[in-house]
Amino acid sequence: MRLLVFGKTGQVAQELGRLGTGRHEITCLGRDAADFTNPLACLAALKRHAPDAVINAAAYTGVDRAEEEEALATQINAATPATLATECAAMGIPFVHISTDYVFDGSGQVPFGPDHATAPLGAYGRSKLAGENAVRAACGAHMILRTSWVFSAHGSNFVKTMLRLGAERDRLTIVSDQIGGPTPAAAIAAACLRCAEALAARPDLAGTYHFAGTPDTSWADFARAIFAAAGLTVEVVDIASADYPTPARRPANSRLDCSSLHAAFGIEQPDWQSALDTVITDLTGATP
């Protein structure tokens, strides 16, 4: 299967690039080859490569910055994906699009299902929701895969930030009233690939699904797990979100109900604790 991945340096895109062996030929396009501020250039790249399926792992992910750059975030997260999804529908090939828990308002304590009403709290979430709606409107064999709290040995993420701060300080204050499922980028990449294959054979499986790591935890407890895995002695002090104000509001409840993905594709939720050990080993070269 020939897969075209939009995105090259992001966490999921880098993991997808590692999967291009055996029966899959995976091409990852970075900004130099497919700038999402230029939808016509991205469309030309899609037509030139003529793949069997497309995975969109490109995104504007600056949650706070999006409050000042909503138009740019919407271009990258919605307008260009709309162009690509429409062309994929015309070509009759699957389009897998990665989205986020930020399309929800984070209320309550029950995991959000794919059909739950959306109500983003900020510009980033609005831009991603606009992208979801555009992909659905293209009416092709699509998958919208919402995920949360992505981590890996690549790019910028909470694990790498904690390792850096933990090496500098012996005490950190971390938000404890936001709950979600940390999700390894490698698992997201594998899920996207499996879903692209399935959609090629079963376009009726198109729809919106959730994929997040298990068990659910808080940022503070996630930090404790990171320090324990890395052998760092750091005191983590729980604080409320109100004590750590940011330009964009974060969902307090990022729990995602992933049961429909398992039912349709047989994909299990990844154990983030096991994956964390692997990432720590990759980053430090030490055995957790």
Side-chain angles (χ1 to χ4, degrees), residues 27 31 77 94 134 224 239 267:
T27 301
R31 188 177 302 174
N77 290 342
R224 291 185 179 95
I239 61 170
I267 298 174

Side-chain angles (χ1 to χ4, degrees), residues 1-269:
M1 189 178 205
R2 291 176 297 110
L3 287 106
L4 183 62
V5 175
F6 284 94
K8 191 171 185 177
T9 60
Q11 297 186 75
V12 176
Q14 289 197 57
E15 295 294 347
L16 279 163
R18 293 181 170 186
L19 298 177
T21 58
R23 56 200 173 96
H24 299 297
E25 177 187 326
I26 300 178
T27 301
C28 297
L29 301 182
R31 188 177 302 174
D32 56 337
D35 185 344
F36 266 47
T37 64
N38 185 346
L40 293 181
C42 295
L43 181 60
L46 171 56
K47 291 180 176 180
R48 183 169 61 252
H49 286 275
D52 299 315
V54 169
I55 299 174
N56 179 28
Y60 181 111
T61 58
V63 175
D64 289 326
R65 196 170 66 251
E67 295 298 309
E68 301 294 331
E69 297 181 344
E70 186 164 1
L72 177 60
T74 303
Q75 175 64 59
I76 294 171
N77 290 342
T80 298
T83 298
L84 296 173
T86 300
E87 182 61 23
C88 285
M91 297 169 65
I93 63 173
F95 184 78
V96 177
H97 178 74
I98 300 171
S99 193
T100 174
D101 60 294
Y102 275 69
V103 300
F104 299 116
D105 64 4
S107 60
Q109 297 182 344
V110 176
F112 288 98
D115 295 330
H116 194 282
T118 53
L121 299 174
Y124 169 69
R126 288 192 294 270
S127 73
K128 293 296 288 184
L129 179 58
E132 290 188 4
N133 292 335
V135 169
R136 290 189 197 98
C139 298
H142 70 279
M143 165 179 274
I144 295 163
L145 189 66
R146 294 179 182 139
T147 189
S148 64
W149 297 23
V150 183
F151 71 94
S152 69
H154 321 293
S156 300
N157 59 69
F158 186 75
V159 171
K160 293 179 72 175
T161 298
M162 288 301 101
L163 290 177
R164 175 176 57 81
L165 294 176
E168 300 169 353
R169 309 177 193 176
D170 56 13
R171 183 178 184 272
L172 291 169
T173 56
I174 308 291
V175 168
S176 62
D177 57 359
Q178 295 174 21
I179 308 298
T183 315
I188 299 172
C192 286
L193 181 57
R194 186 164 172 179
C195 291
E197 288 181 297
L199 282 173
R202 291 275 311 277
D204 59 295
L205 292 173
T208 302
Y209 298 88
H210 288 173
F211 184 65
T214 188
D216 293 322
T217 190
S218 69
W219 287 117
D221 284 340
F222 189 24
R224 291 185 179 95
I226 294 166
F227 296 138
L232 293 172
T233 303
V234 181
E235 179 188 4
V236 175
V237 179
D238 292 12
I239 61 170
S241 298
D243 297 325
Y244 187 73
T246 55
R249 291 173 60 196
R250 268 67 173 171
N253 177 19
S254 288
R255 301 172 180 89
L256 297 177
D257 181 345
C258 305
S259 58
S260 63
L261 185 72
H262 179 262
F265 298 93
I267 298 174
E268 302 276 359
Q269 289 183 256

